[in-house]
Amino acid sequence: MRSNPWHHYIITIKVYHSLDATCNHRVKEVRKKPMNQEHFHGSDLEKIEKVFKIPKEDIIGFGANVNPLGLSPKMKTKLAEHLDAITTYPDPAYQNLRTHIASYTGCKMEQVLPGNGCTELISLFIQALRPKKALIVTPTYSEYEREITLSGGEVLHYALKETSDFLLDMEDFLSALKDGIDLCVLCNPNNPTSTACTPEQMRSIFSCCKQHRIFVLIDETYAEFAPDKISVSSVGLLSAYDNFAILRGTSKFFAAPGLRLGYAMTGNLALLEKIRDRQDPWTVNSLADIAGACMFTDTDYIKKTRDLIASERERIYQELSTWKQVKVYKPYANFILVRILKEGLTAHDIFLHAIKQGLMLRDCSTFPGLEDNHYFRFCFLTPEKNDQLLTCLREILLD
């Protein structure tokens, strides 16, 4: 390995736009990261296996935010019975799949566009919209900024504040939506904060954006995990506004990341047609087409998932709320963000302590706004596995 003149630190200088009252304040950020401190995402099991010499089959993944129930038995049977489907092309219009998605979500079939996971749909919408200036609510998923930058757009960040428990300050946020911004991107519930906006709040955002000719992209990957009594989805507003689109995937709620099935919903049918014309044919494979028609009607699996996550989310939130060594933020998704208050302890320390026991959680210091190395995130699995992680965290945080 080539020697590095900075013996202890790699210094990264990142220049970005941060919003103040005039939306044009330029900020320079200097971030120091120890050379020997690696960061791992929820899907980095092969990398974890190589670095820590732990077989990936023995790692319990609290960092991937995937439904702990795994694939539903109904879908496993359905796929096994239809393996021959890979010998034929799927319907290029995906009429049956779109019908099932519409029935499941409550939108209209013509408002649905299936895609090769949510990632493809993010790319397609940004390529079609080609924003010159986009506003992203952070901290959040990095793919939005990457795609906007690749399309030649300028990115502005609207930072959620820890002092407000990472909840969106509506009055302040609406004042940041100005002429000259083409696109606004929100994740709802947000990753990694697990906070969420209500449909009423989203209505205010859509109305404000309509006045300034701003299109809104909402990533609802985690909306299906939200409490039954607290709706966070904007599907019910599709008929009222044509300046937003909802993106969802099946990787998390339906535990099928390898299936690569996602879908978009929008009331802007002209934009949907434009994107459909740009999309490569058959990006959703035959098995994903069949699985999609099956999973969205699997009411038993859907109910079991929601019941499990609701119970564990409340139990763990209440438990961690009693620990003086951490601060937690009320979660609406299937994961929780934790801030370390114990002096001298970092998120990397927590990660290392857990991974040595085969438990993988997420060090959040790579998220913009959480770089101070005091935040980690983990998803809710089965009660037994969650108890295993809580015991592990007690060892390093409470003892």
Side-chain angles (χ1 to χ4, degrees), residues 98 102 107-113 266 268-269 272 276:
R98 290 163 61 208
C107 73
K108 299 175 181 178
M109 189 266 284
E110 58 267 26
Q111 296 174 328
V112 177
L113 176 68
T266 181
N268 192 325
L269 301 186
L272 207 60
R276 190 177 286 113

Side-chain angles (χ1 to χ4, degrees), residues 195-209:
T195 51
C197 293
T198 65
E200 291 74 21
Q201 290 175 313
M202 297 306 301
R203 181 187 291 275
S204 297
I205 292 171
F206 299 150
S207 295
C208 181
C209 286

Side-chain angles (χ1 to χ4, degrees), residues 235-287:
V235 172
L237 299 174
L238 285 170
S239 297
Y241 297 90
D242 65 355
N243 65 323
F244 79 96
I246 297 170
L247 307 180
R248 287 189 185 178
T250 59
S251 298
K252 308 301 184 181
F253 189 84
F254 291 100
L259 198 63
R260 305 313 307 140
L261 173 61
Y263 55 97
M265 297 171 283
T266 181
N268 192 325
L269 301 186
L271 175 62
L272 207 60
E273 187 62 29
K274 178 181 178 181
I275 293 173
R276 190 177 286 113
D277 289 342
R278 297 173 63 99
Q279 188 178 28
D280 292 333
W282 302 301
T283 60
V284 177
N285 65 67
S286 297
L287 287 180

Side-chain angles (χ1 to χ4, degrees), residues 59-334:
I59 299 172
I60 300 177
F62 285 92
N65 300 340
V66 174
N67 187 337
L69 296 182
L71 287 178
S72 77
K74 182 178 178 180
M75 190 161 74
K76 286 183 180 179
T77 300
K78 187 80 169 180
L79 290 176
E81 291 174 348
H82 291 81
L83 284 178
D84 287 346
I86 62 175
T87 64
T88 60
Y89 287 98
D91 168 19
Y94 298 103
Q95 295 277 356
N96 189 44
L97 175 60
R98 290 163 61 208
T99 298
H100 282 292
I101 291 172
S103 178
Y104 171 68
T105 61
C107 73
K108 299 175 181 178
M109 189 266 284
E110 58 267 26
Q111 296 174 328
V112 177
L113 176 68
N116 188 248
C118 196
T119 303
E120 185 206 19
L121 294 166
I122 292 170
S123 179
L124 284 171
F125 270 85
I126 290 174
Q127 288 174 21
L129 294 166
R130 297 193 66 81
K132 294 180 180 179
K133 185 177 292 187
L135 174 63
I136 301 177
V137 178
T138 60
T140 197
Y141 183 45
S142 62
E143 191 65 20
Y144 316 134
E145 181 167 355
R146 175 181 175 274
E147 288 293 340
I148 293 166
T149 303
L150 287 175
S151 71
E154 177 187 356
V155 175
L156 304 173
H157 295 94
Y158 181 88
L160 299 173
K161 299 176 182 179
E162 194 282 330
T163 52
S164 300
D165 292 340
F166 296 111
L167 295 171
L168 194 64
D169 182 331
M170 284 299 297
E171 183 177 354
D172 184 64
F173 181 64
L174 293 179
S175 70
L177 298 170
K178 300 178 180 296
D179 289 346
I181 296 175
D182 308 296
L183 176 68
C184 176
V185 184
L186 303 95
C187 184
N188 192 44
N190 187 43
N191 176 22
T193 62
S194 202
T195 51
C197 293
T198 65
E200 291 74 21
Q201 290 175 313
M202 297 306 301
R203 181 187 291 275
S204 297
I205 292 171
F206 299 150
S207 295
C208 181
C209 286
K210 189 84 170 177
Q211 296 174 15
H212 298 288
R213 298 182 179 180
I214 301 172
F215 194 87
V216 185
L217 272 186
I218 312 166
D219 186 341
E220 286 194 359
T221 293
Y222 299 102
E224 293 146 289
F225 289 109
D228 288 336
K229 296 180 181 180
I230 306 175
S231 173
V232 301
S233 178
S234 296
V235 172
L237 299 174
L238 285 170
S239 297
Y241 297 90
D242 65 355
N243 65 323
F244 79 96
I246 297 170
L247 307 180
R248 287 189 185 178
T250 59
S251 298
K252 308 301 184 181
F253 189 84
F254 291 100
L259 198 63
R260 305 313 307 140
L261 173 61
Y263 55 97
M265 297 171 283
T266 181
N268 192 325
L269 301 186
L271 175 62
L272 207 60
E273 187 62 29
K274 178 181 178 181
I275 293 173
R276 190 177 286 113
D277 289 342
R278 297 173 63 99
Q279 188 178 28
D280 292 333
W282 302 301
T283 60
V284 177
N285 65 67
S286 297
L287 287 180
D289 187 9
I290 292 169
C294 173
M295 67 173 66
F296 297 120
T297 59
D298 195 345
T299 55
D300 287 342
Y301 175 86
I302 292 169
K303 184 179 186 303
K304 286 179 181 178
T305 297
R306 288 180 173 159
D307 288 347
L308 172 63
I309 297 303
S311 175
E312 289 302 287
R313 175 172 51 221
E314 183 63 19
R315 179 176 78 93
I316 293 171
Y317 173 67
Q318 292 299 333
E319 168 69 20
L320 293 179
S321 295
T322 66
W323 295 12
K324 296 180 180 179
Q325 295 82 354
V326 300
K327 178 180 179 180
V328 289
Y329 309 90
K330 187 171 179 60
Y332 289 84
N334 63 325

